[in-house]
Amino acid sequence: MAVHSLSSVPLLPVCVHPKLSRSLNIDLISSICALRKTVTIRRIRNRNRDCNCNRIIRATMSVDAYVVGEDLPVDYADWIPKVDPCDRRRAGVLLHPTSFTGPYGIGDIGDQAFRFIDWLNDAGCSVWQVLPLVPPGRKANEEGSPYSGQDANCGNTLLISLDDLVKDGLLMKEELPEPLDTDRVNYETVAKIKDPLIAMAAKRLISSDGDLKCQLEDFRKDPVIASWLDDAAYFAAIDDCYDTYNWYDWPEPLKNRHLAALQDIYQTKREFIDIFVAQQFLFQRQWKKLRHYANTKGISIMGDMPIYVGYHSADVWANKRCFLLNRKGFPLLVSGVPPDAFSETGQLWGSPLYDWKSMEEDRFSWWVLRLRRAQDLFDEFRIDHFRGFSGFWAVPSEAKIATMGRWKVGPGSSLFNAIFKAVGNINIIAEDLGVITEDVVQLRKSIGAPGMAVLQFGFGSDAANPHLPHNHEKNQVVYTGTHDNDTVISLSP
């Protein structure tokens, strides 16, 4: 299956909470950083890996059709190779919307995001990479991390622009809160400010008439949307009823999704469910408007997909057969990585691991749905911890440190064959950092996905270091650093 491929050039830095304006210039790019990550500069080769070969073959055949010494056609001098428009370098910025200087304590996908796209276009960039847009977990002290979401397909409603809701007539200007100027996002404070107003706007939308209400109904009836939205809405409704650490502690009929229990929830929490759905519609409407604007400016939006999902999520609760759980629904094995340069005992992430054998039996339908959803939101996306598809580190759930784990065989090419067959070509970037063995490299190359290099990882060893610029591959995305590195800053001469 053909996907795009990339070549590498060093990246530019970015910073938390940028003070953006239309007068921004390249000297200020160091003030645009999200979670101490960086800009991407890449080359997209041809999306159809055969097209260049076909062109070369046609040219050769046209010359071979003549006898040696024979006159060539009068237009022979015009047979100059044309540069494939897909075979080009691209520059971009990694910046999560939460890092915009939103007026209410958090960046959103309103005016600041549109101004940022204008700036990207003016600066000659053509890629905007975001972190996951999923709603962050709020129960287990995740502190708003987009990698600890409660649903792999929902959008973070705290990113909804209140000002845009005013433009839609769903809020009144005088209902907006006082501006909150802060350098960091306090999710508890932001939720107290924005959640009631977004819920109010959703209720007004539900009780309204007109085109926007019709769009909401179409959104809800869409079978692709419903395939994940219904489970997410029920999960949120039940979670709102019980003050438990995770769904494992819910009453047994709800924990195991008994039909009668779910019907009771729908009757008792119908308004909550309707509001939840309407909020997801409002998020998607604003995001797609932003994405369309970015595309008109020649900006491609790159999403980010964690390989694993949290245990306390609609994904696990509604798809237990897809995960390695015991009969009571508790994880048997959890995710992590073995000891490395960053940790003597490895990293214990704690996410439930997939039951790849069970998933393969139904042609990886959960992953197919997830990839379709990603295509609906992004032009391309990075998959975190790509090496886990080849071999993954499995730690017993009762273990306290990751060293208790063992390597296990992942799904490999069978997963991507199923995805390509169901979804078609997908533009993915493989996060291939960490312990990368030959099988991981071969899997990445077999699907044509670009890997990653990090400039700050390139120094401190010998010239063979793959992160040094002279060792960069054509099919690669290069970052200045990661969340484990200090932010790179540019100094004025």
Side-chain angles (χ1 to χ4, degrees):
M1 287 293 169
V3 296
H4 70 241
S5 48
L6 312 154
S7 82
S8 53
V9 175
L11 307 175
L12 300 174
V14 292
C15 249
V16 176
H17 282 282
K19 301 294 182 181
L20 297 176
S21 72
R22 293 186 182 276
S23 62
L24 275 178
N25 56 51
I26 199 68
D27 292 333
L28 292 182
I29 199 167
S30 62
S31 68
I32 310 175
C33 204
L35 300 182
R36 297 193 302 170
K37 287 197 178 181
T38 51
V39 180
T40 41
I41 297 187
R42 323 133 359 110
R43 174 181 309 185
I44 293 224
R45 212 165 50 195
N46 55 295
R47 294 181 188 272
N48 183 339
R49 287 179 290 185
D50 298 327
C51 65
N52 283 339
C53 296
N54 290 339
R55 185 165 60 239
I56 293 170
I57 290 172
R58 284 196 300 272
T60 303
M61 289 177 62
S62 63
V63 173
D64 290 344
Y66 297 90
V67 179
V68 175
E70 184 180 358
D71 289 344
L72 284 165
V74 293
D75 64 345
Y76 172 68
D78 297 328
W79 293 5
I80 299 173
K82 292 181 173 59
V83 177
D84 191 320
C86 295
D87 191 12
R88 61 187 177 89
R89 290 181 176 179
R90 298 189 298 163
V93 174
L94 168 55
L95 177 68
H96 199 50
T98 54
S99 291
F100 293 134
T101 52
Y104 309 115
I106 188 173
D108 59 39
I109 50 180
D111 288 343
Q112 285 285 335
F114 284 83
R115 291 169 61 190
F116 176 65
I117 288 171
D118 289 338
W119 177 83
L120 281 175
N121 179 257
D122 292 342
C125 296
S126 59
V127 181
W128 174 22
Q129 182 176 349
V130 297
L131 303 180
L133 299 179
V134 298
R138 301 184 188 180
K139 282 196 171 184
N141 195 32
E142 295 96 342
E143 298 179 348
S145 170
Y147 293 91
S148 299
Q150 288 196 14
D151 191 277
N153 298 303
C154 284
N156 182 359
T157 55
L158 291 179
L159 295 176
I160 293 175
S161 166
L162 298 182
D163 292 324
D164 281 4
L165 295 180
V166 172
K167 296 175 185 176
D168 290 330
L170 299 175
L171 289 178
M172 304 296 291
K173 190 171 184 179
E174 54 268 23
E175 292 174 328
L176 296 180
E178 292 296 321
L180 180 64
D181 187 18
T182 178
D183 291 333
R184 294 182 179 272
V185 178
N186 184 315
Y187 280 87
E188 183 177 359
T189 299
V190 168
K192 288 179 180 179
I193 293 173
K194 295 192 70 171
D195 279 347
L197 290 169
I198 296 171
M200 182 189 301
K203 289 177 68 174
R204 288 172 179 171
L205 172 59
I206 293 168
S207 61
S208 68
D209 295 313
D211 181 62
L212 200 57
K213 176 64 176 297
C214 291
Q215 292 180 39
L216 169 62
E217 295 301 321
D218 290 341
F219 172 81
R220 190 164 196 168
K221 293 175 183 176
D222 185 330
V224 176
I225 297 293
S227 64
W228 56 265
L229 182 58
D230 290 347
D231 287 333
Y234 275 91
F235 182 88
I238 301 169
D239 200 34
D240 188 62
C241 292
Y242 299 97
D243 186 23
T244 61
Y245 186 74
N246 56 50
W247 62 265
Y248 182 82
D249 297 318
W250 289 350
E252 195 273 339
L254 292 173
K255 171 182 172 180
N256 290 314
R257 295 171 56 86
H258 294 178
L259 181 59
L262 293 181
Q263 289 174 336
D264 288 343
I265 283 293
Y266 181 73
Q267 294 301 323
T268 58
K269 301 286 290 184
R270 184 168 184 173
E271 183 182 30
F272 180 97
I273 291 172
D274 289 343
I275 291 174
F276 181 93
V277 171
Q279 288 176 316
Q280 285 301 309
F281 164 75
L282 291 171
F283 167 84
Q284 173 140 322
R285 182 170 181 269
Q286 289 191 6
W287 175 256
K288 287 205 166 185
K289 180 181 177 182
L290 178 63
R291 179 185 173 187
H292 174 74
Y293 184 76
N295 291 164
T296 62
K297 292 285 186 176
I299 307 297
S300 174
I301 297 184
M302 183 196 296
D304 195 286
M305 178 183 291
I307 186 174
Y308 297 122
V309 297
Y311 178 66
H312 186 62
S313 65
D315 305 286
V316 180
W317 171 70
N319 302 278
K320 298 184 186 71
R321 60 175 178 75
C322 294
F323 298 85
L324 293 173
L325 311 176
N326 63 23
R327 291 184 178 181
K328 294 183 179 181
F330 196 76
L332 292 169
L333 297 168
V334 295
S335 62
V337 290
D340 55 21
F342 295 99
S343 173
E344 293 183 358
T345 59
Q347 299 178 39
L348 183 60
W349 299 334
S351 303
L353 292 175
Y354 299 111
D355 186 338
W356 289 116
K357 290 182 179 178
S358 177
M359 282 187 159
E360 188 170 17
E361 289 174 0
D362 75 342
R363 297 184 292 277
F364 301 99
S365 60
W366 184 87
W367 273 97
V368 168
L369 184 151
R370 192 182 186 195
L371 270 291
R372 281 190 175 133
R373 175 59 175 165
Q375 283 190 310
D376 191 37
L377 296 176
F378 310 110
D379 301 301
E380 50 197 307
F381 46 93
R382 186 194 77 125
I383 299 183
D384 182 56
H385 196 60
F386 180 85
R387 75 105 51 246
F389 294 122
S390 186
F392 59 93
W393 190 250
V395 184
S397 59
E398 66 274 12
K400 302 299 182 183
I401 56 175
T403 52
M404 302 298 292
R406 297 186 65 177
W407 286 111
K408 292 184 176 293
V409 178
S413 59
S414 62
L415 168 65
F416 292 97
N417 289 339
I419 290 172
F420 293 140
K421 183 176 181 180
V423 181
N425 290 351
I426 54 175
N427 297 330
I428 65 173
I429 293 88
E431 190 262 335
D432 55 350
L433 305 178
V435 180
I436 302 303
T437 49
E438 180 62 24
D439 54 313
V440 180
V441 176
Q442 292 304 319
L443 177 61
R444 177 182 65 78
K445 290 183 177 180
S446 72
I447 64 172
M452 289 173 50
V454 180
L455 286 177
Q456 290 191 63
F457 289 176
F459 302 94
S461 60
D462 58 28
N465 189 312
H467 296 281
L468 287 172
H470 63 266
N471 292 323
H472 291 171
E473 302 175 359
K474 185 174 183 179
N475 195 26
Q476 199 164 48
V477 184
V478 178
Y479 297 81
T480 54
T482 73
H483 59 285
D484 293 317
N485 300 111
D486 288 333
T487 302
V488 174
I489 61 174
S490 59
L491 300 175
S492 302

